[in-house]
Amino acid sequence: MTMSMSTTTTRDTLPTYFISHGGGPWPWMKKEMGNAYAQLEAALADMPRQIGRTPEAILMVSAHWEAPAFTVMSNPKPPMIYDYGGFPEHTYHVHYDAPGSPALARRVQGLVEAAGLPAAFDPERGFDHGMFSPMAAMYPKAEVPVVQLSLRRGLDPAEHVALGRALAPLRDENVLIVGSGLSYHNLRNFGPQAREPSKAFDDWLTETVEAAPAQRIERLLAWSQAPAARIAHPREEHLIPLMVAAGAAGPDAGVRIYHEDAFMGGLAVSSYRFGAAAGEAA
């Protein structure tokens, strides 16, 4: 695949997203899980309609990859990484065969380095489930090239907001930026007992995303002071992709595009879009 990533095009600016990607290989477990993921699947499947066109590529920042520097996948045919345990045997043989994009990888590295942030390539890295599970709902034919970009160890919110700002030009180059995590991620506190803390944090998060841009960033940088913050995220790797999406959003408004208040027996969970959907006024 040939891609030109060196200049801004005249295409309309794409939105950015923070999505809750669900647990493990859920798209391949519908028989076992029934309708547990029906609402999330529908929300993910609606994203191409919101975008209004097929992106040239997707840059996915997954909660499941951390590295010493911001590291970009440069493999043209990324393998699968089955980074989960305790699931049925068939889920360790699933495939999501989207191509990679070395051209986009080079473009991303250049943008990150130009912002004074540390960048690196990984030519062997494969797709983790923070990518392939939501992508199976978003683009089931795996026709859109995808490049993953790591979080940086330390998980500094300001540094990841800065990363998003550095990546913002990609939005005008028909590259979709997606932060993939979970709005609530405490595996030791699921079910009905998590109802109140997950709602408290989710309410705060939605108010924050929908705030004016300057206030939005200020609140996100102080996320650990939010109600039930450390119950919702004992470790914040599943929240930090939101910082990237918000940083890349610039002045664009944020809106909640998916919400459940009883997910997995009691969790309040959400996903968000920054920027207008196709056909909407910016």
Side-chain angles (χ1 to χ4, degrees):
M1 178 179 181
T2 300
M3 299 180 68
S4 176
M5 293 288 170
S6 59
T7 59
T8 298
T9 74
T10 59
R11 296 185 181 96
D12 292 338
T13 300
L14 286 175
T16 72
Y17 286 85
F18 172 71
I19 58 171
S20 289
H21 63 230
W26 62 266
W28 291 271
M29 295 180 59
K30 293 180 182 179
K31 181 179 179 180
E32 294 88 347
M33 304 193 75
N35 293 323
Y37 280 92
Q39 288 183 243
L40 177 59
E41 183 175 26
L44 293 167
D46 189 56
M47 288 170 60
R49 180 200 63 80
Q50 297 173 28
I51 296 161
R53 61 183 185 271
T54 301
E56 194 161 353
I58 294 173
L59 180 65
M60 181 78 74
V61 181
S62 167
H64 292 278
W65 187 15
E66 299 174 41
F70 292 116
T71 303
V72 59
M73 165 195 294
S74 56
N75 195 327
K77 294 186 68 174
M80 301 288 285
I81 299 176
Y82 303 114
D83 55 339
Y84 40 73
F87 290 94
E89 176 62 24
H90 75 269
T91 65
Y92 298 91
H93 304 281
V94 301
H95 280 271
Y96 186 82
D97 293 325
S101 175
L104 176 56
R106 290 191 295 271
R107 175 69 169 137
V108 169
Q109 183 194 38
L111 289 170
V112 174
E113 289 181 338
L117 299 169
F121 280 132
D122 188 333
E124 304 297 330
R125 173 76 185 187
F127 294 138
D128 61 56
H129 81 268
M131 176 277 186
F132 62 75
S133 288
M135 285 294 295
M138 292 163 57
Y139 292 98
K141 296 181 180 179
E143 72 272 30
V144 181
V146 182
V147 167
Q148 284 195 229
L149 175 64
S150 78
L151 303 175
R152 190 180 183 203
R153 289 177 189 164
L155 303 176
D156 177 43
E159 193 171 45
H160 288 80
V161 169
L163 173 66
R165 288 171 173 155
L167 297 172
L170 296 175
R171 299 177 60 199
D172 292 313
E173 298 169 12
N174 204 25
V175 174
L176 182 67
I177 299 171
V178 179
S180 177
L182 287 167
S183 60
Y184 179 93
H185 191 256
N186 184 342
L187 300 182
R188 295 184 177 181
N189 193 35
F190 266 38
Q193 70 272 19
R195 187 181 303 275
E196 290 188 13
S198 68
K199 183 182 186 304
F201 185 75
D202 196 84
D203 287 349
W204 175 89
L205 193 63
T206 298
E207 181 180 327
T208 295
V209 166
E210 295 180 350
Q215 184 185 13
R216 176 170 72 209
I217 296 300
E218 181 180 358
R219 286 168 64 102
L220 286 175
L221 293 179
W223 76 270
S224 63
Q225 300 173 33
R230 283 300 180 186
I231 299 175
H233 293 278
R235 190 174 186 274
E236 57 266 40
E237 79 285 347
H238 275 73
L239 182 67
I240 292 296
L242 171 59
M243 311 299 172
V244 184
D252 287 350
V255 61
R256 186 164 67 183
I257 59 165
Y258 157 74
H259 176 70
E260 295 186 58
D261 58 11
F263 181 68
M264 291 296 177
L267 302 181
V269 291
S270 296
S271 296
Y272 304 95
R273 186 187 72 236
F274 298 93
E280 293 181 358

